[in-house]
Amino acid sequence: MTTIEERFGKCPYATAQSLISGKWATLILHYLMKGPIRFNELQRLMPKMTHATLSVQLKGLVGSRLVERRQYEDIPPRVEYSLTGIGERFSPVLEALRTWGTEYIEYMEKQTD
């Protein structure tokens, strides 16, 4: 049986799954859909995430070229994260996930009644 790593770049499902496999990747992408954001601001939006975890997740998204890291030479230094062109094209996928997630929550609420 082939692994997801062996299918990356060959199978669209394996590729997409690999790119957004981080626990927080879709939520980070969701916040970045609204425009560039600084690291600390992003961390405030996700209070249960540690600094180290957010850093690792962002590095992965930057490495996959879904997210761009831009450092400004201001004093104090400023770093912003934003979506790349291909990252922005993920917007309809996120919207579909949101829609399905809402439907699933409603479904599960009806199951407990």
Side-chain angles (χ1 to χ4, degrees):
M1 179 155 202
T2 59
T3 65
I4 193 165
E5 291 82 16
E6 293 171 325
R7 292 182 286 171
F8 182 82
K10 299 172 187 161
C11 170
Y13 294 106
T15 301
Q17 181 180 353
S18 177
L19 291 173
I20 60 169
S21 65
K23 179 179 177 180
W24 301 99
T26 54
L27 192 55
I28 291 169
L29 293 170
H30 161 71
Y31 286 125
L32 290 174
M33 290 288 170
K34 298 172 184 177
I37 192 166
R38 294 173 77 171
F39 184 94
N40 288 336
E41 187 179 348
L42 190 54
Q43 189 167 17
R44 276 192 294 277
L45 292 169
M46 298 184 281
K48 294 189 178 199
M49 183 186 294
T50 66
H51 184 278
T53 300
L54 180 56
S55 181
V56 167
Q57 291 282 288
L58 284 168
K59 283 179 184 174
L61 292 168
V62 168
S64 65
R65 297 189 176 136
L66 296 175
V67 171
E68 176 183 43
R69 180 184 187 273
R70 180 169 285 159
Q71 184 167 341
Y72 298 90
E73 299 305 322
D74 300 344
I75 306 242
R78 179 171 55 109
V79 175
E80 285 184 345
Y81 292 89
S82 60
L83 295 175
T84 61
I86 194 71
E88 289 175 356
R89 301 227 12 221
F90 192 69
S91 180
V93 177
L94 275 180
E95 181 58 27
L97 286 171
R98 186 196 63 77
T99 299
W100 182 86
T102 300
E103 291 171 0
Y104 182 79
I105 291 167
E106 292 169 356
Y107 167 80
M108 291 305 290
E109 287 172 348
K110 289 178 184 172
Q111 298 302 307
T112 59
D113 291 341

